[in-house]
Amino acid sequence: MIEKKRVFTFGNGKAEGKADMRNLLGGKGANLAEMNLIGVPVPAGFTITTEVCTEYNQLGKDKMVELLKKEVEEGIKKTEEVMNAKFGSKGEAFPLLVSVRSGARVSMPGMMNTVLNLGMNDDAVKILAEKSGNPRFSWDSYRRFIQMYGDVVMGVEAEKGEHDPFEVEMDKIKEAKGYQSDTDFTVEDLQNIVEQFKKVVKQRTGNEFPTNPWDQLWGAVCAVFDSWNTERAILYRQLENIPEEWGTAVNVQAMVYGNMGDSSATGVAFTRNAATGENLFNGEYLINAQGEDVVAGVRTPQQITIEGSKRWAEMQGISEQERAEKYPSLEEAMPEAYNELNQVQDKLEKHYLDMQDLEFTIQDNKLWMLQTRNGKRTAAAMVRIAMEMLEAGEIDEKTALLRQDPNKLDELLHPVFEEEAIKSAHVLTKGLPASPGAATGRIVFFADEAEEWAGKGEQVVLVRTETSPEDLRGMHAAEGILTARGGMTSHAAVVARGMGKCCVSGAGDVKIDYKKRTMTIKGVTLKEGDWLSINGSTGEVYNDKVETIAPELSGNFGKIMDLSEKYTRMYVRTNADTPHDAKIARDFGAKGIGLCRTEHMFFEGDRIWSIREMILANKEAGRKKALKKLLEMQRSDFEGILEAMDGFGVTIRLLDPPLHEFTPEGATAQTEMAEKLKVDVKEVREKVHSLHEFNPMLGHRGCRLGITYPEITEMQARAIMEAACNLKAKGLNPKPEIMIPLIGTAKEFQLQEEIIRRVAEEVQKEKNQKVDFLVGTMIEIPRAALTANEIAQHAEFFSFGTNDLTQMTFGYSRDDAGKFLPIYVKKGILKHDPFQVLEQTGVGQLVEMGCQKGRSVNANLKLGICGEHGGEPSSVEFCHRTGLDYVSCSPFRVPIARLAAAQANIR
Ligand code: ADP
Ligand code: MG
Ligand code: MG
């Protein structure tokens, strides 16, 4: 029987692992091996596999050590040979010190910090001092080791309100001697610090600091494995859906020393600019330093290239002379090591064919690489790097597309804060990131005033406890919207996303006094007219004005969209209720409208009064009179929308919400309504009362309105067909698709269809035009999906309304689910909020069934989806697999959906 291999060595241009063994060796370990194989200088060492992590969790420490001992000892032996040093040297050789590092498949915050200089003790420090001829370096390494091991493995940490106990000891000496920097410590200081550190460990843990290198090593290995199960790591895994079985690997690697003096250094670098994507090697380094000093901010790191250094100095307002003297680049300070680093970065990028994030150390002018990985980047860099690599012929089109994270694209579609301006802004509080982008403006508390102020050319941010349909125009006029209440699917959030307008919702710290026209946030009072800035991508709320910059949508972004077009099967429509939104979406590449909600138009201006008049009318005749006024308005709306989407299908949904949404609640508003419509207030009150429903979502809405008031359907069908005929007469090519909402039975569909077709016939005759139109339905009630074969005998298209379908499949009310959904997600009952990410097993099954059953009787049935899910990448991929013709989403998500659809087709 072949023993399972648990340890993979690397060093001296050889390695037992390689890059594609990331599952077994973790990302860091696999790349350390690979770098050896391609001739990049890497200190020798070995990787203990991720499988051992699982064994450790099952079997415990002793058994794990027993299983591993032989291989680890061999790994150390090989390392000793390559590095010409001895672990636990008694003076016969240069002491071998190692680093112990965690490394999972994907980089994971919460995992153990690296321990450097392991193997150090009272003997080793003296031998190293003697053999290196550099006691300062040796003692500096010792104090670093006790500090890291004490913290990471032995658990010495600052208690609440306390400073790090190790730092406190160092600061005492710095202060006493008036030192500026850690590099000022003398050998004696460092010896003193080591003694103090040992005492700290003893005091805090009750244990002596371990002196035996092997004890140190096993202690560190176990600490890495233990860190897999810390609260932080577990939480992160839950959030990111990382399985527990993956485990982490442990990397043990010979130390190389960046703290050996002025010919030594350590640093981090990127092969391209991770913020902008510019193809310019860049990074930071520190002379005479080790490990994480660069990121820790104890000293100001210097730039790697001359170019980077000059740019940096300019931004800091530092003169060229001062820069060259005090902050020279690595290119200037260590030209040879720099040249080698420059060659290595080029080689690594060409090898991995992606931007690399590198860690390196220079020991006495010799370069060593300690890590490489694909670098994290902003959306702008993501797009630019892929397109430039494509143009350079380094990657192909499909790869360039697959490199894009659709959700990230969102960053590019909205204004952002100016980088410099935001640095000095102060965060007042945080709400939910309800609709992305950045906005800055003067505070107004009322929607109509937002409109007024904006009309006078003021930039405003509308601040409300919550918003309602009446605030629509004010929301439109504002730069952004901040609400104190409401979740990610609140009115403000949904409407703002639809408009592509920045919105922060549910900022609970915001207390508004509408009377005084002030708001307070944690004791800070702001009044109407004060400046406020909000970031809808993070939920942050800032005081003062922060300049924003507009998105750049041509260039590389445009090229990504062209590629998406080339590789997609599905096309993308938009959910839009106005010609304005339709136009934005069309510019983003939408091919048609998947959902135009007619009721939104009723809130515009004076229209609400016509619908209120209709609602109040008790007889058909009265209703018809009111409907006639609405007909005029709707016709012109539809003309606008059909014109904006000329040549593409426009799905118009007939009236859907329960009528009570159009009537006022409060007594004053009811009196106003009675006066305006010249009826007794009692009548209004009674009407409102009679419209009241216990469960409006399941009440008198959708096609049920059209069934009980056929004249509403008639009016809407007429408005749509007249609009289409008028455009036809102008030589345009309107393609209305009339959609009957909330069908549960085929009979409901038939009854509504009859009306629509009859009216359509009449209108076309009257206008002497022939319009290309369809009649179809929304599938949003489970029974409709189950009986799709019956419905599809009549319907020409299905549009899956996955918001309602999710609501009714789960039996969760969208308006009330906020109380328990977050807990459901936290407890793992649900992976995601099903209103944001389409739940494929249950709700998705109904969609699949609807498609299959529908197409089984009508092969030409047009299929699409128009819920909020239409712009969510994993849901788009599901729609592709299910064979839908299109997805439809809010205008600003159109590019995201287009990219996701193309990726689904490539994968
Ligand atoms: P992280 O995951 O936080 O990047 P690493 O395991 O990469 O942690 O280690 C952090 C830093 O420690 C590295 O950037 C490197 O500077 C230093 N380091 C790790 N191993 C060694 C080593 N063998 N010799 C010198 N420095 C090392
Ligand atoms: Mg770390
Ligand atoms: Mg690292």
Side-chain angles (χ1 to χ4, degrees):
M1 194 189 94
I2 304 169
E3 255 291 297
K4 177 153 108 187
K5 190 167 171 56
R6 294 187 173 83
V7 171
F8 288 71
T9 60
F10 55 81
N12 209 14
K14 296 191 196 69
E16 293 176 319
K18 55 179 168 24
D20 64 10
M21 288 167 70
R22 137 188 303 269
N23 291 357
L24 192 61
L25 303 181
K28 201 177 282 168
N31 284 336
L32 285 171
E34 186 81 3
M35 283 198 285
N36 265 287
L37 294 177
I38 62 170
V40 168
V42 174
F46 56 88
T47 304
I48 303 171
T49 67
T50 54
E51 289 173 359
V52 180
C53 183
T54 311
E55 287 178 327
Y56 170 80
N57 286 328
Q58 285 163 356
L59 308 172
K61 175 174 178 181
D62 293 344
K63 192 84 185 104
M64 188 265 310
V65 173
E66 194 184 312
L67 286 170
L68 264 186
K69 199 159 186 275
K70 202 164 144 265
E71 282 179 87
V72 166
E73 283 172 2
E74 276 165 19
I76 288 283
K77 202 161 148 240
K78 269 197 179 173
T79 309
E80 288 175 337
E81 281 163 17
V82 175
M83 303 307 286
N84 195 17
K86 177 107 181 73
F87 195 56
S89 168
K90 291 275 175 254
E92 70 281 24
F94 204 92
L96 172 69
L97 304 186
V98 296
S99 67
V100 177
R101 325 162 67 183
S102 59
R105 280 190 211 187
V106 291
S107 119
M108 238 178 81
M111 293 306 297
M112 196 196 81
N113 289 325
T114 301
V115 174
L116 302 178
N117 310 312
L118 186 141
M120 191 57 112
N121 56 28
D122 291 348
D123 294 332
V125 73
K126 287 183 197 124
I127 302 165
L128 191 63
E130 192 190 302
K131 297 216 183 261
S132 68
N134 187 342
R136 196 197 167 280
F137 140 72
S138 187
W139 284 95
D140 182 52
S141 303
Y142 197 7
R143 74 93 188 152
R144 286 170 186 273
F145 174 53
I146 301 179
Q147 194 171 354
M148 285 194 216
Y149 196 92
D151 166 12
V152 176
V153 181
M154 301 182 76
V156 175
E157 53 180 38
E159 277 165 30
K160 212 171 166 190
E162 209 189 34
H163 287 292
D164 179 273
F166 294 119
E167 294 293 338
V168 169
E169 294 302 324
M170 296 212 289
D171 285 345
K172 272 190 209 159
I173 296 182
K174 268 197 209 166
E175 213 164 286
K177 303 215 168 176
Y179 295 158
Q180 298 292 319
S181 157
D182 291 1
T183 45
D184 296 336
F185 287 130
T186 63
V187 175
E188 290 68 38
D189 292 331
L190 290 164
Q191 286 171 338
N192 193 349
I193 290 172
V194 163
E195 281 319 302
Q196 294 307 320
F197 277 12
K198 285 185 189 163
K199 279 190 200 147
V200 168
V201 169
K202 173 80 195 189
Q203 262 171 18
R204 299 266 169 159
T205 67
N207 295 320
E208 294 295 339
F209 192 83
T211 51
N212 181 313
W214 289 99
D215 291 345
Q216 294 172 354
L217 181 59
W218 289 114
V221 169
C222 290
V224 172
F225 289 148
D226 285 334
S227 73
W228 183 252
N229 284 321
T230 56
E231 214 174 297
R232 251 199 319 165
I234 291 171
L235 184 70
Y236 184 80
R237 284 205 291 277
Q238 274 173 1
L239 292 176
E240 296 291 310
N241 263 312
I242 297 173
E244 206 213 303
E245 319 80 78
W246 280 11
T248 177
V250 185
N251 298 293
V252 178
Q253 190 179 19
M255 280 302 295
V256 287
Y257 306 100
N259 56 335
M260 260 196 182
D262 286 348
S263 58
S264 300
T266 184
V268 296
F270 292 88
T271 60
R272 298 183 188 222
N273 188 316
T276 65
E278 184 184 2
N279 189 1
L280 185 73
F281 178 45
N282 65 97
E284 296 179 332
Y285 79 105
L286 273 180
I287 290 195
N288 197 10
Q290 229 187 28
E292 306 201 294
D293 292 0
V294 177
V295 272
V298 251
R299 284 193 269 151
T300 310
Q302 290 154 237
Q303 299 296 308
I304 287 185
T305 61
I306 296 179
E307 172 70 21
S309 183
K310 287 190 169 158
R311 289 189 193 182
W312 171 84
E314 196 178 321
M315 256 169 43
Q316 304 286 319
I318 290 173
S319 75
E320 171 59 17
Q321 195 190 349
E322 187 183 353
R323 180 202 73 77
E325 263 168 35
K326 281 203 199 149
Y327 310 101
S329 65
L330 185 71
E331 196 172 352
E332 293 156 296
M334 300 183 184
E336 272 156 52
Y338 169 79
N339 273 341
E340 199 184 347
L341 178 64
N342 194 23
Q343 278 163 24
V344 166
Q345 66 92 10
D346 192 53
K347 182 171 194 167
L348 285 172
E349 190 182 277
K350 294 226 161 74
H351 183 71
Y352 286 98
L353 289 174
D354 200 353
M355 186 257 279
Q356 296 297 295
D357 167 352
L358 312 168
E359 293 171 8
F360 67 91
T361 282
I362 296 166
Q363 174 180 331
D364 204 8
N365 282 317
K366 160 110 187 73
L367 174 75
W368 295 94
M369 299 309 294
L370 294 166
Q371 187 169 337
T372 189
R373 61 181 158 196
N374 293 341
K376 293 212 176 355
R377 61 203 77 180
T378 63
M382 168 182 86
V383 169
R384 178 165 173 186
I385 290 172
M387 291 321 295
E388 290 187 357
M389 294 190 97
L390 171 64
E391 272 151 34
E394 291 170 329
I395 56 175
D396 62 15
E397 292 180 342
K398 289 182 180 175
T399 309
L401 269 184
L402 291 176
R403 289 264 171 94
Q404 310 304 311
D405 173 355
N407 279 322
K408 239 183 157 153
L409 223 46
D410 208 34
E411 281 177 38
L412 298 178
L413 304 175
H414 305 276
V416 289
F417 287 125
E418 248 177 30
E419 218 178 303
E420 282 308 304
I422 196 66
K423 279 186 192 153
S424 50
H426 171 65
V427 178
L428 288 172
T429 184
K430 228 176 141 174
L432 297 170
S435 180
T440 193
R442 292 176 187 277
I443 298 169
V444 289
F445 296 105
F446 301 94
D448 52 344
E449 288 170 20
E451 237 186 307
E452 251 171 61
W453 288 44
K456 284 185 269 171
E458 288 283 357
Q459 258 168 277
V460 299
V461 170
L462 177 63
V463 182
R464 305 271 315 156
T465 304
E466 58 208 345
T467 63
S468 73
E470 284 138 87
D471 298 331
L472 226 59
R473 283 158 58 139
M475 292 172 74
H476 213 110
E479 302 294 314
I481 299 124
L482 169 64
T483 71
R485 270 196 236 138
M488 294 287 287
T489 50
S490 63
H491 176 268
V494 173
V495 172
R497 282 199 293 274
M499 292 177 178
K501 189 133 291 188
C502 163
C503 173
V504 173
S505 68
D509 291 332
V510 175
K511 308 273 181 275
I512 300 169
D513 188 332
Y514 285 124
K515 275 227 175 80
K516 286 195 191 138
R517 297 177 180 247
T518 60
M519 64 191 250
T520 54
I521 303 177
K522 297 184 194 163
V524 179
T525 302
L526 298 169
K527 51 186 195 313
E528 183 178 270
D530 287 349
W531 284 87
L532 188 76
S533 300
I534 57 176
N535 185 340
S537 311
T538 62
E540 281 158 332
V541 178
Y542 301 86
N543 64 354
D544 286 339
K545 180 176 183 171
V546 184
E547 291 297 341
T548 59
I549 38 181
E552 166 62 71
L553 298 180
S554 50
N556 287 321
F557 176 86
K559 289 180 195 160
I560 292 283
M561 287 297 105
D562 292 345
L563 280 184
S564 301
E565 188 69 30
K566 180 167 170 186
Y567 286 99
T568 194
R569 176 189 64 75
M570 282 194 302
Y571 64 101
V572 177
R573 290 188 173 194
T574 191
N575 299 348
D577 308 331
T578 63
H580 173 259
D581 288 358
K583 181 155 180 330
I584 293 176
R586 195 172 179 152
D587 290 344
F588 279 142
K591 293 182 176 166
I593 289 180
L595 177 61
C596 170
R597 308 173 189 85
T598 45
E599 60 273 12
H600 280 188
M601 302 169 178
F602 293 160
F603 288 104
E604 293 245 332
D606 281 343
R607 296 168 183 206
I608 188 86
W609 293 107
S610 304
I611 188 140
R612 283 179 177 171
E613 189 182 330
M614 181 207 85
I615 290 169
L616 270 187
N618 282 324
K619 300 247 166 54
E620 195 187 317
R623 278 198 296 272
K624 283 202 159 153
K625 196 175 133 236
L627 282 168
K628 221 171 162 171
K629 292 188 201 161
L630 280 172
L631 171 68
E632 304 289 317
M633 300 167 187
Q634 291 240 286
R635 187 201 304 119
S636 72
D637 287 336
F638 295 142
E639 273 183 31
I641 273 220
L642 286 165
E643 186 169 354
M645 271 295 169
D646 190 46
F648 291 127
V650 173
T651 305
I652 300 171
R653 179 179 71 184
L654 302 182
L655 193 62
D656 183 61
L659 294 181
H660 76 86
E661 287 197 7
F662 302 105
T663 57
E665 284 286 329
T668 355
Q670 288 177 359
T671 312
E672 187 199 353
M673 176 162 161
E675 279 166 10
K676 183 127 183 168
L677 298 179
K678 300 191 181 66
V679 292
D680 195 62
V681 67
K682 208 171 128 232
E683 209 178 307
V684 172
R685 225 178 294 136
E686 272 166 15
K687 193 74 200 182
V688 172
H689 186 73
S690 80
L691 288 175
H692 175 265
E693 291 180 318
F694 288 100
N695 221 326
M697 277 294 173
L698 302 177
H700 194 180
R701 57 172 284 221
C703 69
R704 298 157 202 169
L705 290 170
I707 302 272
T708 45
Y709 304 117
E711 56 277 10
I712 298 181
T713 305
E714 263 174 36
M715 179 278 285
Q716 292 201 296
R718 176 163 278 277
I720 295 168
M721 291 307 292
E722 286 185 359
C725 288
N726 291 350
L727 293 178
K728 259 256 97 139
K730 284 207 275 176
L732 299 181
N733 182 22
K735 293 187 163 173
E737 299 174 0
I738 302 173
M739 179 155 77
I740 305 165
L742 221 69
I743 291 291
T745 68
K747 188 74 187 172
E748 285 169 313
F749 184 84
Q750 273 173 280
L751 288 177
Q752 290 288 289
E753 185 197 12
E754 264 169 35
I755 300 173
I756 295 165
R757 292 209 184 274
R758 172 173 51 76
V759 173
E761 213 37 57
E762 284 167 18
V763 174
Q764 291 180 92
K765 237 191 224 137
E766 284 162 27
K767 302 256 178 186
N768 196 21
Q769 292 286 351
K770 189 99 201 71
V771 172
D772 190 6
F773 76 100
L774 301 176
V775 184
T777 185
M778 208 148 162
I779 303 288
E780 50 191 331
I781 288 185
R783 192 180 185 282
L786 294 166
T787 60
N789 51 331
E790 292 174 13
I791 296 168
Q793 285 173 11
H794 309 276
E796 291 171 295
F797 67 85
F798 283 173
S799 173
F800 290 90
T802 46
N803 293 349
D804 262 315
L805 190 61
T806 299
Q807 170 164 270
M808 294 197 231
T809 303
F810 275 102
Y812 299 159
S813 151
R814 244 187 300 168
D815 297 328
D816 300 318
K819 291 184 192 131
F820 58 86
L821 269 188
I823 297 164
Y824 268 44
V825 172
K826 206 162 158 196
K827 286 195 190 279
I829 298 169
L830 298 171
K831 263 195 181 161
H832 307 278
D833 176 345
F835 293 108
Q836 285 175 28
V837 177
L838 184 74
E839 189 279 314
Q840 299 182 10
T841 318
V843 182
Q845 194 180 139
L846 285 170
V847 175
E848 278 166 3
M849 187 183 288
C851 292
Q852 276 158 16
K853 290 197 161 194
R855 285 223 166 115
S856 74
V857 297
N858 179 357
N860 294 327
L861 189 69
K862 192 174 203 172
L863 298 171
I865 175 185
C866 64
E868 287 270 302
H869 306 99
E872 190 284 314
S874 72
S875 312
V876 172
E877 134 112 285
F878 168 84
C879 294
H880 171 84
R881 258 189 288 126
T882 309
L884 299 196
D885 296 305
Y886 68 85
V887 294
S888 187
C889 56
S890 58
F892 281 84
R893 292 205 69 89
V894 167
I896 295 162
R898 291 177 68 197
L899 172 61
Q903 288 182 337
N905 199 27
I906 293 173
R907 284 202 180 104

